[in-house]
Amino acid sequence: METSKILIGYAIYLPIAIGLTIYVSKTLFKNSLIYMKDIFNGRDEIAKATNKLFETGFYLLNLGFALMILELYLHQNSYQELIERLSYKIGGFAIYLGIMLFVNLYFFFRGKRKAKENHKEARIVIND
């Protein structure tokens, strides 16, 4: 009986983890293209390519982590325990995704700041 509850848990956890990852990724990388274009001085091809590489890495890291923490044990073999363990696992994964989102935003803002500094330095050199 425990095995069927664990399989139910997997059947609930996997679609939610994959769905959350896709939602966060689509939202992040649709909106981050603006930052990439600014970082790469409006060069669309390199901005899109870099953004796509970041997106691919985001999927690999997050789906890999979701699969890595897939393991589920039920000691009491009850639906209550299944729901509690799933809420802990899904909640933990959502927190992890949120942290990854902010890490990516940090890198985008850092890249934008570096690009702005490079623009200023280039203007100083040209003006001198």
Side-chain angles (χ1 to χ4, degrees):
M1 190 68 168
E2 180 182 340
T3 303
S4 65
K5 286 187 181 122
I6 290 174
L7 291 176
I8 291 169
Y10 293 158
I12 293 169
Y13 169 76
L14 282 172
I16 291 173
I18 292 168
L20 276 173
T21 301
I22 291 170
Y23 172 74
V24 172
S25 178
K26 293 294 180 196
T27 303
L28 176 63
F29 292 103
K30 181 182 87 178
N31 295 308
S32 67
L33 187 56
I34 296 166
Y35 293 102
M36 288 295 185
K37 287 181 180 180
D38 187 39
I39 291 168
F40 292 109
N41 300 320
R43 296 185 303 181
D44 281 352
E45 284 186 28
I46 194 163
K48 287 179 183 176
T50 304
N51 199 47
K52 195 63 174 171
L53 289 171
F54 267 99
E55 184 179 10
T56 302
F58 188 84
Y59 276 118
L60 289 172
L61 282 172
N62 294 312
L63 291 175
F65 185 73
L67 292 172
M68 194 175 79
I69 65 168
L70 177 66
E71 196 170 42
L72 185 64
Y73 290 109
L74 298 177
H75 301 290
Q76 298 172 7
N77 194 24
S78 68
Y79 285 109
Q80 177 184 352
E81 184 184 19
L82 174 64
I83 292 168
E84 290 170 357
R85 293 209 184 259
L86 281 174
S87 69
Y88 185 81
K89 189 172 287 291
I90 292 167
F93 185 68
I95 290 169
Y96 166 79
L97 274 177
I99 291 168
M100 291 303 291
L101 172 80
F102 286 116
V103 166
N104 275 283
L105 286 175
Y106 168 77
F107 284 121
F108 294 140
F109 286 129
R110 184 175 169 212
K112 185 175 178 176
R113 186 180 42 140
K114 288 280 190 184
K116 190 181 246 185
E117 288 172 6
N118 289 341
H119 277 318
K120 286 180 183 178
E121 289 174 8
R123 285 185 193 143
I124 291 170
V125 170
I126 291 171
N127 290 335
D128 286 340

